[in-house]
Amino acid sequence: MGKDNFGSLLRYYRRKSRDTVNGGPLSQERLADLLSLTSGIIYSRGAISDWERGKGHIHKDARHLLVSLLRVLVEAGGIQSVQEADAWLEAGNYRALNAKELGQVSAEWLTSDIAQADDGTIFMTPALPPHDIIGRDELLATLKQQLFVGRNVALSAINGLPGVGKTTLAVLLAHDADVRAHFPDGVLWVGLGRDPDVFHQLGVWAEVVGVDSAELERMGALKLRANAIHAAIRDKQMLIVIDDVWDDSVVPLFKLGGTQCTHILTTRQPRIAAGFAGVHALKVAELSEQYAFELLRQLAPRVVEQEPEAAREIVKATGGLPLALVLIGNHLRIQAATGQGRRIRSALAQLQSAENRFHIQRAPTILEDDVHPSLADDTPISLATIIGVSDQELGAEAQAALRAVALFPPKPNSFAEEATLFVAATTTDVLDELSDHGLLETVGRDRYTLHQSINDFAQLQPVDPQASSRLSIFYKQFVTAHAADHDVVGRELENIEAALAAAARDKRYQLLWELLDAVFPFLEIRGHYDLAHDYLTALDLDALSAPIQARVHYQFGRIALRTNQNDTAQAQWEAGLEIARAAQAHAEAVVLLSNLSVLISQNRDYERTTSMLQEAIVHAQLAEDWYELGRAHANLGRFAYIRDDYVAAEGHYATAYDLAVQHEFRDLTCAVLNLRGLNATNLGAFAAARTYFEEGLHIARENRFTNRLLGLLVNIGQFLNETGHYAESIIYMEEGLDLARRFGDQAKESNLLKNLGVADAKLGSYERAEERFIAADAIAVALENQWLVATIAVHYGIAAVEVGDLSQATALFSKCLNLTPSINNEKPLVALAYYGLAQIAVQEGREVAAADCVTRSLDALADTNHALISEIHSWREANGV
């Protein structure tokens, strides 16, 4: 037989065995097939080869595997006696077979019906799984600590999702050396399931603990059998495991023994666990993604090695549920046996389907302790059957609610109880029923979550089509109610996406539009442009009214504008405007006209811009849309401001302000006050400007208008700089800078850094000012914002003049002048640049050049009422230019 070791003996007994198919010796491949059939776990020819060559090792606690391998070799005639079996096990440093294992290998080898270990202790524990248990060390340590507290009855319960590994944890505890030492009289185990035969199970326990069989026959009542068991173990130190409990009324019949016995109960129902163990009831969570990936690596190493990213996607799809990982891992190991990449990739692709994952099966084996207590003996174990057991226990209303709840995205997403009740059209009692069966998890106050596998199971069942409509209706109402609080809307974004998807999937285009229209401002402000575009594209415009079609074009244009596709934005808005005009949809027309006017003004086509705004005013009046009427006047003021007609601008701003105040449009009021402040500054009406800015700040803070607040902080900082209040300016601008960075508004961050640079320079901190200007310029260049680049250059140049760095200042002013032909509102920048160059020329004694620059500066401001004009005149007179 060669060397007397485990591997060589295995090879010897395999070759000695007869294959019932061809009558010859068992091949490694044939032994692997028979072992897979017997154990319910797939093994390859390579595993047999590794064991025989000593390249692989069977863990000492993997008794299920060893017993299955022995049974195959015994049935094939390779091992013919208990002595041969024990000698083979001893060669591998494994303990000998106990009585229960003897019966599992061969009924002829069993000499007693009592399941006892070799040392006489009772050990009614299922075999350890054939794979390592990963990610449970901390939980096992906690459970052991609970079991070892004192000698009084310490109740411990394990509860959790179907397939999360509750029974496996109990098995690990029962096999643990420390636990077995702590309970020297052994372990009693019962698996109850949904419909337990309590009378028979108590009879099995009675026989195991030594109750006389004749006396047992006379015990016709459950209580008598329980009392007899209790009397037999009253003084023993035993661990008693009551597994898979569905009905807590039968638990007292098995909670037996004296003060030195300790009990573990496993159940899917948190209510039963808490009732049994109180504060010692522990929830078994799914595996983390890291541990789940390691488990899959252990089960299907070749797959994980060849396709690691696809394997990670499968792990995510299981939600870390151990049963799912074990079933999938065994399936993938079979597919990878040939080593063909094509088969591995195909298997992984098929497993992307929840339906395929749910129907991977592990057939029940011949071993008694491998039968799931809640399944019939001939039922294969799969995710569908294991989760289905819990589903079958639910009432019809709870089943319908579970299918509806699965419309929400799964864990880690959560959803409010209010939303759950509305979508499922149910009551809190039904939600409690789902929670009591371990299917719906509570997270935080009045919020729930659904595990990925429970979600997948429920989605594979028929669902009330009205539930998806209720999902969309709820979130349309929710977004409308919280339109002003984007943080609240943001926290529900994943659920809102699910509601959008449901409406699109069901082709409920009107409902999809209503929800999308409600949430669009949030999506736009938070930068979710792709999401908005996808659902706008999903709309069937022919199924919607003309006004809605016009608004769809408007929103397409908003996305294009936000993504710097101005030509596309203009085309979308012009298409929408054509529809609105034809349908006399005045409300839609005014919105489109207002936005088109802003876009067209960037090309300095002020005549067409003004015409559009005047048409917008007509449509707004016909629609009695006072907000848009005020907005149109505000925009007319803006374009007058851009053309440096500050008097006309103030007239339009005053009209817009009156409309906003009259109709209590706080947001519009805030925006107009900001514009009036800027305009008054240019007019030199500094007291009025400060009043406008401060009133706007008050409204913005009071109403949490974050974007408005940021714009006001930029402008009041600039105003305070221009009026010489530099220290006060820094306070406002530091606040604005923090806000701009928090909300990712880089344009305003750049502007604020520029203003801070101006204040620092005026306060004598030129080096710090330079840092601010350089940082501001870097952001502006990255944004390709030429107006900002030019503005930063001119103010940086002014600061350089003040410290005497004339060459640096000259270069910066020239940079500004090179940019101004291509930007709007360029006249004040041109004037400042030439004014700065004039000051440099005076310091260098170039009087002719200074006079020329002053003239150019004043020419730039001709036909305006800019406050800078009087300052330049005063400087020219003082310097005799």
Side-chain angles (χ1 to χ4, degrees), residues 385-407:
T385 57
I386 292 297
I387 297 176
V389 170
S390 288
D391 185 65
Q392 291 162 20
E393 285 294 301
L394 300 174
E397 191 175 351
Q399 284 186 332
L402 180 63
R403 281 100 174 112
V405 171
L407 292 168

Side-chain angles (χ1 to χ4, degrees), residues 627 660 664-673 699 703 705 708:
Y627 182 90
E664 298 183 352
F665 299 141
R666 305 289 282 171
D667 180 65
L668 183 59
T669 304
C670 193
V672 174
L673 284 166
I699 294 173
N703 294 276
F705 295 154
R708 298 295 185 206

Side-chain angles (χ1 to χ4, degrees), residues 293-505:
F293 187 74
E294 287 305 313
L295 177 57
L296 187 63
R297 185 198 300 277
Q298 180 191 136
L299 294 165
R302 182 175 289 174
V303 173
V304 173
E305 179 182 351
Q306 291 188 19
E307 300 289 339
E309 293 308 313
R312 285 194 184 278
E313 289 302 312
I314 294 299
V315 165
K316 289 179 182 177
T318 67
L321 196 67
L323 175 62
L325 290 161
V326 169
L327 292 170
I328 288 170
N330 289 334
H331 173 74
L332 288 173
R333 188 169 65 250
I334 297 171
Q335 302 305 313
T338 63
Q340 275 192 350
R342 172 183 52 79
R343 290 189 64 179
I344 292 173
R345 289 189 296 274
S346 175
L348 287 167
Q350 290 175 3
L351 289 172
Q352 292 295 329
S353 161
E355 186 168 6
N356 290 339
R357 293 195 301 273
F358 264 72
H359 290 95
I360 295 175
Q361 296 180 349
R362 176 167 69 85
T365 69
I366 57 172
L367 300 181
E368 179 186 352
D369 60 19
D370 195 42
V371 177
H372 195 285
S374 292
L375 299 178
D377 291 353
D378 58 348
T379 302
I381 293 176
S382 68
L383 279 177
T385 57
I386 292 297
I387 297 176
V389 170
S390 288
D391 185 65
Q392 291 162 20
E393 285 294 301
L394 300 174
E397 191 175 351
Q399 284 186 332
L402 180 63
R403 281 100 174 112
V405 171
L407 292 168
F408 292 100
K411 199 173 184 178
N413 175 64
S414 67
F415 34 91
E417 183 173 85
E418 178 188 10
T420 314
L421 292 170
F422 186 92
V423 173
T426 191
T427 65
T428 53
D429 288 342
V430 171
L431 298 187
D432 290 344
E433 184 180 351
L434 293 175
S435 297
D436 288 346
H437 282 80
L439 297 172
L440 186 63
E441 299 177 65
T442 302
V443 288
R445 182 177 178 181
D446 298 331
R447 291 190 75 84
Y448 299 99
T449 189
L450 206 62
H451 186 272
Q452 177 71 63
S453 293
I454 305 298
N455 184 281
D456 288 342
F457 173 86
Q459 287 199 0
L460 292 172
Q461 318 305 318
V463 63
D464 176 8
Q466 292 305 312
S468 62
S469 292
R470 291 194 295 269
L471 181 71
S472 302
I473 291 167
F474 178 87
Y475 281 105
K476 179 191 72 173
Q477 296 171 347
F478 176 87
V479 173
T480 301
H482 298 280
D485 195 336
H486 288 164
D487 289 341
V488 170
V489 175
R491 286 194 290 271
E492 294 294 329
L493 181 58
E494 197 166 350
N495 295 316
I496 293 167
E497 287 187 56
L500 288 165
R505 183 175 59 247

Side-chain angles (χ1 to χ4, degrees), residues 597-598 601 606 609 613 634-644:
S597 67
V598 175
S601 72
Y606 298 126
T609 296
L613 285 172
N635 280 333
L636 278 169
R638 282 184 64 245
F639 299 131
Y641 176 87
I642 289 171
R643 298 194 304 274
D644 305 300

Side-chain angles (χ1 to χ4, degrees), residues 712-781:
L712 282 156
L713 290 169
V714 172
N715 292 332
I716 196 171
Q718 181 172 313
F719 163 78
L720 291 168
N721 277 345
E722 291 182 17
T723 54
H725 299 84
Y726 305 114
E728 188 180 1
S729 169
I730 287 175
I731 295 171
Y732 284 107
M733 288 187 294
E734 290 286 7
E735 179 187 355
L737 188 62
D738 178 64
L739 205 59
R741 287 171 173 168
R742 272 197 289 136
F743 288 92
D745 193 329
Q746 291 185 301
K748 288 190 175 66
E749 180 184 357
S750 176
N751 212 340
L752 284 157
L753 285 167
K754 178 263 295 180
N755 289 342
L756 281 164
V758 171
D760 286 334
K762 291 293 186 180
L763 292 172
S765 301
Y766 183 69
E767 289 185 2
R768 182 165 178 77
E770 274 199 306
E771 292 175 3
R772 307 270 206 190
F773 288 132
I774 291 168
D777 182 67
I779 295 171
V781 169

